[in-house]
Amino acid sequence: MNQIVQSTMPLRVKALVCLYILLTLIALWRMTTFYAFDLLTLGVLPLLFGILTRAAWTKVVLFVYLGLQTMGLVAMSTTAIIAYQITPDDVNLVFQGYNIPLIPLWLVLVSLIGFQWWAGLSKVMTQYLSSKSA
């Protein structure tokens, strides 16, 4: 275990690992509560494993996962904009009785995806993944 989590892990990579641990917990909660099995929630498991073990395929899986997240956000945003043009009063998001405001939610999601792209495309991530220690 000590070889997997080292102190040489850059701060950007640590932040990305923390985000993916949080997303893993949410995916497991969603899987057990709603019996939802999909690529956007469970796709984080191999990605987290790849980052922690510095696997050679991690960069490819990271780009595929981020591409899926980006396309999902663009699709949902486009659908919401079109629906808002048709019936503005009916466009709302309610989760377990709570009305979630769409613009702040969209800003948070764009920030999270933007951070993942920033960390994933960084030279620090490439160097971290390519410098696998024995």
Side-chain angles (χ1 to χ4, degrees):
M1 180 73 179
N2 195 14
Q3 289 179 346
I4 293 175
V5 182
Q6 298 176 354
S7 63
T8 61
M9 187 183 289
L11 184 60
R12 243 181 252 194
V13 179
K14 284 181 184 178
L16 198 60
V17 166
C18 288
L19 175 65
Y20 288 154
I21 288 172
L22 178 66
L23 288 176
T24 299
L25 293 174
I26 292 170
L28 292 174
W29 169 77
R30 187 171 181 262
M31 184 179 68
T32 58
T33 305
F34 301 112
Y35 302 106
F37 303 94
D38 58 52
L39 191 58
L40 284 176
T41 53
L42 295 178
V44 74
L45 294 173
L47 185 56
L48 181 61
F49 175 77
I51 291 173
L52 291 176
T53 59
R54 295 182 183 188
W57 46 263
T58 304
K59 199 82 164 177
V60 174
V61 174
L62 177 67
F63 289 144
V64 169
Y65 186 66
L66 288 176
L68 285 172
Q69 283 184 343
T70 305
M71 287 190 307
L73 181 65
V74 168
M76 294 303 289
S77 300
T78 304
T79 304
I81 290 170
I82 292 171
Y84 187 78
Q85 296 297 320
I86 297 170
T87 55
D89 295 334
D90 292 337
V91 179
N92 58 3
L93 179 63
V94 178
F95 181 71
Q96 294 185 351
Y98 295 104
N99 191 8
I100 300 171
L102 294 179
I103 302 242
L105 175 66
W106 183 82
L107 290 173
V108 167
L109 293 176
V110 166
S111 308
L112 286 174
I113 292 174
F115 168 74
Q116 291 176 71
W117 277 110
W118 174 71
L121 290 174
S122 70
K123 191 179 231 181
V124 172
M125 177 63 94
T126 305
Q127 289 172 348
Y128 172 75
L129 292 175
S130 65
S131 66
K132 188 170 184 167
S133 61

